């Protein structure tokens, strides 16, 4: 049994200090992965922390049919995708609210914006 499998087994048995082994093993790799997906250092750091928390909370659901690293990367991937979806939604929602609150149409706003640049 390798050190990660030993750590996972130890955590499942209630020895939560073993989680430190997992964090030390994967922290840098997950940070690089998150940074490539999100493009922001602070968001990547937060995503790694959240991924470890989710893994910690769900460690009992992990089974050996897949590697632990694949399981952890799947958690991380899903978390990053959720962040990207929220960012896209946040960018879209203010535009809708702005359009609804102002009777001026999109074409008029764009035209006004371009005229102001001259």
């Amino acid at each position: 049994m390798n050190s990660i499998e030993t750590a996972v087994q130890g955590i499942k048995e209630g020895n939560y200090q073993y989680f430190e082994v997992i964090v030390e093993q994967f922290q840098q790799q997950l940070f690089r992965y998150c940074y490539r997906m999100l493009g922001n250092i602070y968001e990547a750091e937060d995503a790694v922390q959240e991924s470890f928390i989710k893994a910690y909370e769900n460690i009992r659901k992990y089974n050996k049919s897949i590697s632990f690293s694949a399981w952890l990367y799947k958690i991380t991937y899903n978390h990053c995708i959720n962040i990207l979806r929220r960012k896209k939604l946040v960018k879209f929602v203010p535009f809708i609210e702005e359009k609804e609150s102002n009777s001026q149409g999109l074409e008029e706003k764009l035209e006004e914006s371009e005229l102001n640049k001259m």
Side-chain angles (χ1 to χ4, degrees):
M1 205 181 314
N2 70 30
S3 63
I4 296 300
E5 290 176 13
T6 302
V8 170
Q9 189 59 39
I11 294 165
K12 285 183 174 183
E13 292 171 359
N15 298 321
Y16 296 106
Q17 66 272 17
Y18 278 111
F19 202 74
E20 184 178 340
V21 173
I22 292 170
V23 171
E24 287 176 2
Q25 176 75 30
F26 292 101
Q27 188 170 19
Q28 292 300 317
Q29 296 169 27
L30 289 181
F31 173 78
R32 286 190 296 274
Y33 184 71
C34 291
Y35 181 72
R36 275 184 260 138
M37 285 187 75
L38 301 172
N40 181 293
I41 291 172
Y42 303 110
E43 287 180 350
E45 288 172 346
D46 289 345
V48 170
Q49 287 180 343
E50 288 295 320
S51 297
F52 279 130
I53 289 169
K54 288 178 182 181
Y56 180 81
E57 292 172 342
N58 294 293
I59 195 86
R60 296 199 182 281
K61 294 178 183 176
Y62 168 73
N63 63 51
K64 294 180 184 178
S65 64
I66 60 168
S67 71
F68 182 80
S69 63
W71 183 76
L72 184 58
Y73 271 89
K74 184 70 172 181
I75 290 171
T76 304
Y77 172 81
N78 288 334
H79 184 71
C80 289
I81 291 297
N82 287 337
I83 290 171
L84 292 170
R85 285 181 183 145
R86 274 185 252 133
K87 283 171 62 173
K88 192 179 256 186
L89 184 62
V90 167
K91 287 179 184 177
F92 181 72
V93 171
F95 176 73
I96 291 172
E97 290 173 357
E98 183 180 314
K99 185 176 180 186
E100 289 174 354
S101 68
N102 190 343
S103 61
Q104 186 179 18
L106 176 61
E107 291 176 14
E108 292 171 312
K109 284 184 180 184
L110 289 172
E111 192 174 301
E112 182 180 279
S113 172
E114 289 301 314
L115 289 174
N116 286 335
K117 289 179 184 177
M118 294 180 166

